[in-house]
Amino acid sequence: MAAGSGWGWRREPLNGAQSPYERLGRRMQDVTGDGGVLKEVIHAGAGDLVPQDASVLVKYSGYLEYMDKSFDTNCHRRIPRLMKLGEEITLLGMEVGLLTMKKGELARFLFTPSYAYGAMGCPPLIPPNATVLFEIELLDFLDSAESDRFFALTAASLILCRRPSSGDEQCQIDAAKLLVFLNLSFTYLKLERPVRALAYGEKALEIDKRNAKALFRCGQACLSLTEYEKARDFLVRAQKEQPFNHDINNELKKLASCYRDYLDKEKEMCCRMFAPLTSSPMGPELKNHPLQMKETVPELERNLSL
């Protein structure tokens, strides 16, 4: 039932009688301990409570006492906008109430003036010293790290899709795109997804082919993919741009070490493959066989060292 339904316009209670909000408040939970935020759960949710600094997806409607229609609602929207606590929710009572909710929960709250619109109200809609009722449904929420990633990717998508109106704006967009591509490449390296990291690093190089960070990211990605020649090419180019960069020089040392280990394993595998030939009796027909060990291994070593 919508709060205030059937109460008419600005009807005052009879002498000594409690107002509708007063009667409602008697059966509600005191969230803040001072009676400033009262709560009644209509439909219980599940999971964890909303954490501090989360971003929430909610439907809400706000009502004044003795008024049938809501003065504020977002229920007409098919998909509500994601809002970040502490930044985009200006009503203190709503923020306090949301921190007591779980995903899927529908609850009714009463906010006293100090948790709502204050002594002055918000003319012409909200009168002075008004206690207001809000019905809030928590559809979903993201914790702080998840919400920061969401808003960052949202901003990134806007930048990537934007079309310039002038040459100067094109330069600004390219600079923003470069930063986005570099950050995405770094993120995918941390997520151990080198193929995507390499793709975004190469997109960054399309904007600035001498960018040391982009070359470095591509080199790291290729090293993870064991594409040693490509890794060396990217890292040498990065070193040429920044000769004294410790991260680049250390990555080149890591590449050399990985490549030596790779060659050692290849040699060991070849030795194991041809070992039976050296231990088996050889007749005249095997002495000149093309796979005879004394001739084959040195040849393999020469090929592998190229």
Side-chain angles (χ1 to χ4, degrees):
M1 180 181 72
S5 178
W7 294 340
W9 287 81
R10 299 301 301 168
R11 289 203 308 252
E12 297 296 334
L14 298 175
N15 291 337
Q18 289 184 322
S19 72
Y21 279 6
E22 288 173 337
R23 291 198 301 272
L24 179 62
R26 291 181 63 182
R27 68 171 189 260
M28 300 176 82
Q29 176 190 358
D30 186 352
V31 172
T32 53
D34 60 0
V37 177
L38 303 178
K39 176 182 179 182
E40 179 183 32
V41 176
I42 301 172
H43 177 76
D48 298 327
L49 294 174
V50 175
Q52 294 279 356
D53 301 324
S55 292
V56 295
L57 199 65
V58 299
K59 287 187 176 182
Y60 65 84
S61 294
Y63 301 90
L64 290 170
E65 197 167 23
Y66 303 110
M67 296 188 68
D68 295 315
K69 295 182 179 180
S70 63
F71 65 85
D72 185 19
T73 183
N74 72 343
C75 291
H76 59 276
R77 295 182 180 178
R78 189 171 65 87
I79 301 176
R81 183 172 60 90
L82 195 67
M83 298 183 294
K84 192 171 179 63
L85 296 179
E87 295 181 11
E88 297 179 277
I89 297 177
T90 57
L91 207 62
L92 177 59
M94 183 181 287
E95 184 149 340
V96 171
L98 283 166
L99 293 173
T100 70
M101 298 183 72
K102 298 179 180 180
K103 181 179 177 180
E105 182 177 328
L106 174 62
R108 182 180 291 128
F109 294 91
L110 280 176
F111 305 143
T112 59
S114 58
Y115 286 88
Y117 299 96
M120 298 296 294
C122 187
L125 286 177
I126 313 298
N129 289 310
T131 293
V132 296
L133 182 146
F134 270 79
E135 288 184 353
I136 302 174
E137 182 181 5
L138 179 62
L139 303 176
D140 204 350
F141 66 86
L142 302 174
D143 66 24
S144 179
E146 289 174 331
S147 65
D148 288 345
R149 284 195 296 271
F150 173 83
F151 287 114
L153 289 174
T154 301
S157 64
L158 292 174
I159 291 170
L160 297 179
C161 296
R162 184 166 180 175
R163 295 182 178 180
S165 59
S166 65
D168 290 339
E169 189 175 7
Q170 179 65 62
C171 293
Q172 294 176 354
I173 291 174
D174 285 344
K177 282 184 176 181
L178 179 62
L179 183 60
V180 169
F181 289 143
L182 289 173
N183 287 337
L184 286 170
S185 182
F186 175 77
T187 299
Y188 280 114
L189 282 171
K190 291 296 182 182
L191 293 173
E192 298 182 356
R193 297 177 62 181
V195 174
R196 297 297 298 273
L198 178 60
Y200 282 113
E202 289 177 331
K203 283 182 178 293
L205 290 174
E206 290 175 7
I207 298 172
D208 181 3
K209 64 181 180 180
R210 296 179 59 182
N211 187 278
K213 282 188 177 180
L215 292 166
F216 179 56
R217 301 273 185 262
C218 289
Q220 287 179 299
C222 289
L223 180 54
S224 296
L225 294 167
T226 65
E227 297 183 9
Y228 297 122
E229 292 297 329
K230 287 182 67 176
R232 182 181 180 278
D233 177 62
F234 281 122
L235 292 173
V236 168
R237 287 166 61 190
Q239 188 186 51
K240 184 177 179 181
E241 299 300 324
Q242 295 185 6
F244 303 107
N245 186 299
H246 293 294
D247 292 332
I248 296 172
N249 292 329
N250 288 337
E251 199 70 12
L252 278 167
K253 292 177 183 177
K254 180 181 176 182
L255 169 63
S257 176
C258 290
Y259 190 59
R260 280 196 301 270
D261 291 342
Y262 165 76
L263 291 180
D264 290 341
K265 289 178 181 177
E266 287 288 303
K267 290 178 183 178
E268 183 181 354
M269 182 181 68
C270 291
C271 290
R272 289 178 179 176
M273 288 172 60
F274 297 115
L277 294 176
T278 60
S279 58
S280 61
M282 290 188 296
E285 68 279 4
L286 289 178
K287 288 184 179 179
N288 297 322
H289 196 281
L291 294 180
Q292 206 276 332
M293 191 63 180
K294 291 182 180 178
E295 296 177 0
T296 306
V297 172
E299 182 180 352
L300 284 170
E301 288 178 342
R302 285 195 299 273
N303 290 335
L304 289 169
S305 64
L306 294 177

